[in-house]
Amino acid sequence: MKLNEADLGERAQWEEKGYHLLQYDRKAAAARTRENPFWIHFGAGNIFRAFQANAVQRMLDDGTLDRGLVVAEGFDYEIIGLVEEEFAAYINDKSKVSFPWTMIDKITPRPDASVEAILKDDGVEELEPVITSKNTYAAPFVNAEECEYLVIEDEFPNGRPPLEKGGLMFTERETVDKVEKMKVCTCLNPLHTALAVYGCLLGYDKISEEMKDADLRKLVEIIGYQEGLPVVVNPGILDPREFIESVLNERIPNPFMPDTPQRIATDTSQKLAIRFGETIKAYHVSDSLNVQNLKLIPLVLAGWLRYLMAVDDNGNAFELSPDPLLDTLRPYVAKIRLGEENDLEKALKPILSDRSIFGVDLYEVRLAERVCSYLKELTLGVGEVRQTLQKYVKQD
C-alpha cells in the first residue's frame, strides 16, 4: 500500500483498514482548478496539510466545492524580487485583491515515529520522514490534533465560496485580531512555552506526559486562569475561559498528540515578547492590576534563563533547541554554575533589560529582581528546579 495514484485506486485494501479515501473525481477536480483557480496557499507545511487541505478535501467530498486549492512552496532562502510594475499595481488594487487577516490554531507536531509505526502495521509503505538542512521535518503523513480554528477577516472583493461549511470562521478584522491575541498572548502559546522550558529541564520528551505532573499542571493553570485571563479581551466568537479549559483538559494532555517540549522550545527568544511581554505590559499600565502580582510568569522567564545553561535538573548536559540568539545569549550564562555563588544580576542585566526579548525592560516594570531571585533558587544545585517549582506553585 503506497500513497500514489495506482495504489489509491485499489480502494478495498485501504477501506478494509479504516482509511477514508476521497469521494470525488480527482482528475476532474484538478482540471477545473487549473481552468478557474480560486485559492492559492503559500507553504505546504504540516499544518496546511492537516487543516486547510483537509478542509478542502471534505468540501470536495460533500459537493460544497468542485475545485481544489493551489499550493505554492518556497524552499530555504528563495525570495520573490523585482516584480513587474503591472503586477504590483494589480495586487495593490483593493477592488481586485484583498489580504484578509487570519488566525489559525491547530497543534501539528513533527511527524512522529509512533504514528509511523501504526501506519506501517497497516501495510502503508515509504513513510520515512525527510529532515532538511534547516531542520524541517516532512513526511508522507501528518499527525495533528482534532481541534482546529481558522478565523478569517471576511474581506473578499470578488466574493468567495461558502468555506464556513468546512469549519472556517469569517468575521471582521478587529475580531480576528482579538482571537489572535487571546491565543498567542494568553490562552495557549504561553502555556506551551512554560511547559517547553520546564519540560526540557525536568527531562520530559512529551508534552502530554507533562500534564500528568501535578507541579507543571498547576504552573500552567495559574498562568492561564489567574495571571493571563484578567487581561484578555473577549473576542466574542470564542470564549477565553472555555478556550483555556479545552487547552488544559483536552488538547495538551492528549496522549495521541506526540508533541515535545524540545520542539516547542525552538526559537524561544523570539516568542517571549509576545507570549509573556504583552501580559506584563497590560498589568504595568492597568489602573486595577498590579504587575507585582505576577508570580509564575517571571518564574517561566527565570526558567528560560536556567534552560540556557543547557544543564537539566539532574545536572546532566542536554542539547538546546535551535534559536537564532543562542550564540548571543549563551555567553551571559556561561559562568553560572549549579551550587556556586553567582552574581546573577550583574551577569544578566543586558538580557533582563532587552525589550526585543521580553517585550519590556524588566527593570522598568520592576520584575528583574524577582526573575534573578527565582534564578538564584533554580541554580542552588541539583534538584532545585523541582524544589523551586513546587515552592511557588503551592504558594498560589
Side-chain angles (χ1 to χ4, degrees):
M1 294 167 60
K2 298 180 180 179
L3 290 172
N4 56 41
E5 194 166 5
D7 276 26
L8 288 171
E10 300 294 329
R11 300 181 67 92
Q13 63 177 342
W14 295 91
E15 291 171 347
E16 286 173 2
K17 298 288 187 179
Y19 290 91
H20 175 83
L21 300 183
L22 49 85
Q23 304 297 306
Y24 58 93
D25 186 327
R26 182 172 176 271
K27 289 184 177 179
R32 287 191 292 267
T33 305
R34 286 191 293 269
E35 292 168 6
N36 190 19
F38 78 102
W39 181 351
I40 183 169
H41 183 94
F42 291 91
N46 289 330
I47 194 168
F48 161 77
R49 295 162 63 197
F51 195 164
Q52 293 100 319
N54 193 38
V56 169
Q57 178 153 311
R58 291 197 306 267
M59 287 185 277
L60 282 164
D61 279 345
D62 66 22
T64 299
L65 296 176
D66 66 351
R67 292 167 290 158
L69 60 79
V70 177
V71 62
E73 180 62 284
F75 296 94
D76 292 346
Y77 302 101
E78 292 183 6
I79 59 172
I80 299 174
L82 301 169
V83 298
E84 295 181 4
E85 186 175 340
E86 290 182 1
F87 179 71
Y90 167 72
I91 63 171
N92 283 294
D93 186 342
K94 293 183 179 180
S95 68
K96 297 178 179 178
V97 179
S98 65
F99 296 90
W101 286 18
T102 63
M103 188 289 297
I104 192 166
D105 178 21
K106 186 177 181 75
I107 301 172
T108 313
R110 290 171 178 167
D112 189 82
S114 64
V115 177
E116 182 181 351
I118 293 171
L119 296 170
K120 283 185 175 179
D121 285 345
D122 282 344
V124 185
E125 304 173 58
E126 298 179 353
L127 296 172
E128 292 74 18
V130 174
I131 305 174
T132 71
S133 60
K134 294 181 68 177
N135 210 35
T136 297
Y137 286 64
F141 65 93
V142 177
N143 39 263
E145 63 175 343
E146 289 186 43
C147 182
E148 58 187 26
Y149 303 97
L150 179 51
V151 184
I152 304 173
E153 178 189 2
D154 201 356
E155 183 65 30
F156 295 86
N158 300 299
R160 61 172 176 79
L163 300 178
E164 58 271 21
K165 292 184 179 180
L168 283 62
M169 305 170 72
F170 292 88
T171 184
E172 66 278 356
R173 173 173 291 198
E174 292 75 16
T175 300
V176 177
D177 188 45
K178 290 176 184 177
V179 174
E180 174 75 12
K181 289 178 178 176
M182 179 195 77
K183 176 219 171 197
V184 174
C185 303
T186 307
C187 297
L188 173 59
N189 295 46
L191 313 183
H192 249 163
T193 290
L195 291 171
V197 167
Y198 279 96
C200 290
L201 289 171
L202 295 174
Y204 282 97
D205 60 5
K206 290 287 187 292
I207 289 290
S208 58
E209 289 297 312
E210 289 189 68
M211 291 303 286
K212 299 176 183 177
D213 185 311
D215 299 325
L216 292 174
R217 185 177 184 92
K218 190 68 174 176
L219 172 71
V220 290
E221 286 177 345
I222 294 170
I223 291 173
Y225 289 120
Q226 296 183 27
E227 298 191 352
L229 200 56
V231 299
V232 173
V233 176
N234 192 328
I237 60 173
L238 293 172
D239 180 82
R241 179 170 286 275
E242 291 178 1
F243 192 93
I244 292 178
E245 288 174 355
S246 172
V247 167
L248 293 178
N249 297 319
E250 300 171 19
R251 301 177 65 183
I252 296 178
N254 184 353
F256 298 103
M257 265 295 297
D259 210 352
T260 69
Q262 291 75 23
R263 181 189 79 89
I264 298 170
T266 299
D267 299 338
T268 300
S269 71
Q270 311 300 293
K271 300 172 179 176
L272 296 173
I274 188 69
R275 298 189 179 192
F276 298 103
E278 291 302 306
T279 295
I280 295 172
K281 287 180 192 176
Y283 271 78
H284 185 58
V285 302
S286 173
D287 294 328
S288 59
L289 298 169
N290 185 348
V291 73
Q292 294 305 306
N293 289 335
L294 293 175
K295 302 295 176 60
L296 296 193
I297 286 178
L299 185 62
V300 176
L301 304 184
W304 174 65
L305 295 169
R306 171 68 178 80
Y307 161 89
L308 290 175
M309 294 170 61
V311 176
D312 68 19
D313 201 28
N314 292 321
N316 299 318
F318 67 91
E319 183 178 353
L320 296 175
S321 300
D323 189 305
L325 291 186
L326 282 186
D327 290 341
T328 301
L329 296 171
R330 288 297 306 284
Y332 290 107
V333 302
K335 294 183 179 180
I336 301 175
R337 297 287 186 272
L338 297 185
E340 296 182 6
E341 188 70 26
N342 299 290
D343 189 344
L344 298 177
E345 186 167 353
K346 180 179 179 181
L348 299 174
K349 188 171 184 178
I351 301 178
L352 299 174
S353 60
D354 193 332
R355 296 175 186 271
S356 68
I357 293 176
F358 299 110
V360 295
D361 180 334
L362 291 177
Y363 288 95
E364 286 187 10
V365 297
R366 296 183 296 120
L367 287 179
E369 183 179 349
R370 176 167 296 164
V371 171
C372 285
S373 176
Y374 285 156
L375 182 60
K376 183 176 181 179
E377 294 183 62
L378 291 167
T379 57
L380 284 175
V382 170
E384 291 300 326
V385 171
R386 173 64 71 180
Q387 294 297 319
T388 305
L389 187 61
Q390 287 180 342
K391 174 182 176 181
Y392 290 103
V393 300
K394 288 179 179 178
Q395 280 187 3
D396 286 76

Coordinates of all heavy atoms in Angstrom, one line a residue, residues 207-242:
I207 N 4.9 16.5 25.7 CA 4.1 17.5 26.4 C 2.9 16.8 27.1 O 2.6 17.2 28.3 CB 3.5 18.5 25.4 CG1 4.7 19.4 24.9 CG2 2.4 19.4 26.0 CD1 5.2 20.4 25.9
S208 N 2.3 15.8 26.5 CA 1.1 15.2 27.2 C 1.5 14.6 28.5 O 0.7 14.5 29.5 CB 0.6 14.1 26.3 OG 1.5 13.2 25.9
E209 N 2.8 14.0 28.6 CA 3.2 13.5 29.9 C 3.4 14.5 30.9 O 3.2 14.3 32.1 CB 4.5 12.7 29.6 CG 4.4 11.4 28.9 CD 3.5 10.4 29.6 OE1 3.7 10.2 30.8 OE2 2.6 9.8 29.0
E210 N 3.8 15.7 30.5 CA 4.0 16.8 31.5 C 2.7 17.2 32.2 O 2.7 17.6 33.4 CB 4.5 18.1 30.8 CG 5.9 18.0 30.3 CD 6.5 19.3 29.8 OE1 6.6 20.2 30.7 OE2 6.7 19.5 28.6
M211 N 1.6 17.0 31.5 CA 0.3 17.3 32.1 C -0.1 16.3 33.2 O -1.1 16.6 33.9 CB -0.8 17.5 31.0 CG -0.6 18.7 30.1 SD -0.5 20.2 31.0 CE -2.2 20.5 31.4
K212 N 0.6 15.2 33.3 CA 0.4 14.3 34.4 C 1.2 14.7 35.7 O 1.0 14.1 36.7 CB 0.7 12.9 34.0 CG -0.1 12.3 32.8 CD 0.4 11.0 32.4 CE -0.3 10.4 31.2 NZ 0.2 9.1 30.8
D213 N 2.0 15.7 35.5 CA 2.9 16.2 36.6 C 2.2 17.3 37.3 O 1.9 18.3 36.7 CB 4.2 16.7 35.9 CG 5.2 17.1 37.0 OD1 4.9 17.9 37.9 OD2 6.4 16.8 36.8
A214 N 1.8 17.0 38.6 CA 1.0 18.0 39.3 C 1.6 19.4 39.4 O 0.9 20.4 39.3 CB 0.7 17.5 40.7
D215 N 2.9 19.5 39.5 CA 3.5 20.8 39.6 C 3.4 21.6 38.3 O 3.1 22.8 38.2 CB 5.0 20.6 40.0 CG 5.2 20.0 41.4 OD1 4.3 20.2 42.2 OD2 6.1 19.2 41.5
L216 N 3.7 20.9 37.2 CA 3.7 21.5 35.9 C 2.2 21.9 35.5 O 2.0 22.9 34.9 CB 4.3 20.6 34.8 CG 5.8 20.4 34.9 CD1 6.3 19.4 33.9 CD2 6.6 21.7 34.8
R217 N 1.3 21.0 35.8 CA -0.1 21.3 35.5 C -0.5 22.6 36.3 O -1.2 23.4 35.7 CB -1.0 20.1 35.8 CG -2.4 20.4 35.4 CD -3.3 19.2 35.7 NE -4.7 19.5 35.2 CZ -5.1 19.2 33.9 NH1 -4.3 18.6 33.1 NH2 -6.3 19.6 33.5
K218 N -0.2 22.6 37.6 CA -0.5 23.8 38.4 C 0.1 25.0 37.8 O -0.5 26.1 37.8 CB -0.1 23.5 39.8 CG -0.6 24.6 40.8 CD -2.1 24.5 41.0 CE -2.6 25.4 42.1 NZ -4.1 25.4 42.2
L219 N 1.4 24.9 37.3 CA 2.1 26.1 36.8 C 1.3 26.7 35.6 O 1.0 27.9 35.6 CB 3.4 25.6 36.2 CG 4.2 26.7 35.4 CD1 4.8 27.8 36.3 CD2 5.4 26.0 34.7
V220 N 0.8 25.9 34.7 CA 0.1 26.4 33.5 C -1.3 26.8 33.9 O -1.9 27.7 33.2 CB 0.2 25.5 32.3 CG1 1.6 25.4 31.8 CG2 -0.3 24.1 32.6
E221 N -1.9 26.2 34.8 CA -3.2 26.6 35.2 C -3.2 28.0 35.8 O -4.1 28.8 35.5 CB -3.8 25.6 36.3 CG -4.3 24.3 35.6 CD -4.8 23.3 36.7 OE1 -4.5 23.5 37.9 OE2 -5.4 22.3 36.3
I222 N -2.2 28.3 36.7 CA -2.2 29.6 37.3 C -1.8 30.6 36.3 O -2.4 31.7 36.3 CB -1.1 29.6 38.5 CG1 -1.6 28.6 39.6 CG2 -0.9 31.0 39.0 CD1 -0.5 28.4 40.6
I223 N -0.9 30.3 35.4 CA -0.5 31.3 34.3 C -1.7 31.6 33.5 O -2.0 32.8 33.1 CB 0.6 30.8 33.5 CG1 1.9 30.8 34.3 CG2 0.8 31.7 32.2 CD1 3.1 30.1 33.6
G224 N -2.5 30.6 33.1 CA -3.6 30.8 32.2 C -4.8 31.5 32.9 O -5.3 32.6 32.5
Y225 N -5.3 30.9 34.0 CA -6.5 31.4 34.6 C -6.3 32.6 35.5 O -7.1 33.5 35.5 CB -7.1 30.3 35.5 CG -7.7 29.1 34.8 CD1 -7.3 27.8 34.9 CD2 -8.8 29.3 33.9 CE1 -7.8 26.7 34.3 CE2 -9.4 28.2 33.2 CZ -8.9 27.0 33.4 OH -9.4 25.9 32.7
Q226 N -5.2 32.6 36.3 CA -5.0 33.7 37.3 C -4.3 34.9 36.8 O -4.6 36.0 37.1 CB -4.4 33.1 38.5 CG -5.2 32.1 39.3 CD -4.6 31.6 40.6 OE1 -3.8 32.3 41.2 NE2 -4.9 30.4 41.0
E227 N -3.2 34.6 36.0 CA -2.3 35.7 35.6 C -2.7 36.2 34.2 O -2.6 37.4 34.0 CB -0.9 35.3 35.7 CG -0.4 34.9 37.1 CD 1.1 34.8 37.2 OE1 1.8 34.8 36.2 OE2 1.5 34.6 38.4
G228 N -3.1 35.4 33.3 CA -3.4 35.8 31.9 C -4.8 36.2 31.7 O -5.0 37.3 31.0
L229 N -5.8 35.5 32.2 CA -7.2 35.7 31.8 C -7.6 37.1 32.2 O -8.5 37.7 31.5 CB -8.0 34.7 32.5 CG -9.4 34.5 32.0 CD1 -9.4 34.1 30.5 CD2 -10.2 33.3 32.7
P230 N -7.2 37.7 33.3 CA -7.7 39.1 33.6 C -7.4 40.2 32.6 O -8.0 41.2 32.6 CB -6.9 39.4 34.9 CG -6.7 38.1 35.5 CD -6.3 37.2 34.4
V231 N -6.4 39.9 31.7 CA -6.1 41.0 30.7 C -6.6 40.6 29.3 O -6.3 41.3 28.3 CB -4.6 41.3 30.7 CG1 -4.1 41.8 32.0 CG2 -3.8 40.0 30.3
V232 N -7.3 39.4 29.1 CA -7.8 39.0 27.8 C -9.0 39.8 27.4 O -9.9 40.0 28.2 CB -8.1 37.5 27.8 CG1 -8.7 37.1 26.5 CG2 -6.8 36.7 28.0
V233 N -9.0 40.3 26.2 CA -10.2 40.9 25.6 C -11.0 39.8 24.9 O -10.5 39.1 24.0 CB -9.9 42.0 24.6 CG1 -11.1 42.6 24.0 CG2 -9.1 43.1 25.3
N234 N -12.2 39.6 25.4 CA -13.1 38.5 24.8 C -13.4 38.9 23.4 O -14.1 39.9 23.1 CB -14.4 38.4 25.7 CG -15.2 37.2 25.3 OD1 -15.2 36.7 24.2 ND2 -15.8 36.6 26.3
P235 N -13.1 38.0 22.4 CA -13.4 38.3 21.0 C -14.8 38.0 20.6 O -15.2 38.4 19.5 CB -12.4 37.4 20.3 CG -12.3 36.2 21.2 CD -12.3 36.8 22.6
G236 N -15.6 37.4 21.5 CA -17.0 37.2 21.2 C -17.3 35.8 20.6 O -18.1 35.1 21.0
I237 N -16.5 35.5 19.5 CA -16.8 34.3 18.8 C -16.2 33.1 19.4 O -16.6 31.9 19.2 CB -16.4 34.4 17.3 CG1 -14.9 34.6 17.2 CG2 -17.1 35.4 16.5 CD1 -14.4 34.5 15.8
L238 N -15.2 33.3 20.3 CA -14.6 32.2 21.1 C -14.5 32.7 22.5 O -14.0 33.8 22.8 CB -13.3 31.8 20.6 CG -13.2 31.1 19.2 CD1 -11.8 31.0 18.8 CD2 -13.9 29.7 19.2
D239 N -14.9 31.9 23.5 CA -14.8 32.3 24.9 C -13.5 32.0 25.5 O -13.0 30.8 25.5 CB -15.9 31.6 25.7 CG -15.9 32.0 27.2 OD1 -16.5 33.1 27.5 OD2 -15.3 31.3 28.0
P240 N -12.7 33.0 26.0 CA -11.4 32.7 26.5 C -11.3 31.7 27.6 O -10.4 30.8 27.5 CB -10.9 34.1 27.1 CG -11.7 35.1 26.3 CD -13.1 34.4 26.1
R241 N -12.2 31.7 28.6 CA -12.1 30.7 29.6 C -12.4 29.3 29.1 O -11.7 28.3 29.4 CB -13.1 31.0 30.7 CG -13.1 30.0 31.9 CD -13.9 30.4 33.1 NE -13.2 31.5 33.8 CZ -12.3 31.2 34.7 NH1 -12.0 30.0 35.1 NH2 -11.7 32.2 35.4
E242 N -13.3 29.2 28.2 CA -13.6 27.9 27.6 C -12.4 27.4 26.7 O -12.1 26.2 26.7 CB -14.9 27.9 26.8 CG -16.2 28.1 27.6 CD -17.4 28.2 26.7 OE1 -17.3 28.1 25.5 OE2 -18.5 28.4 27.3

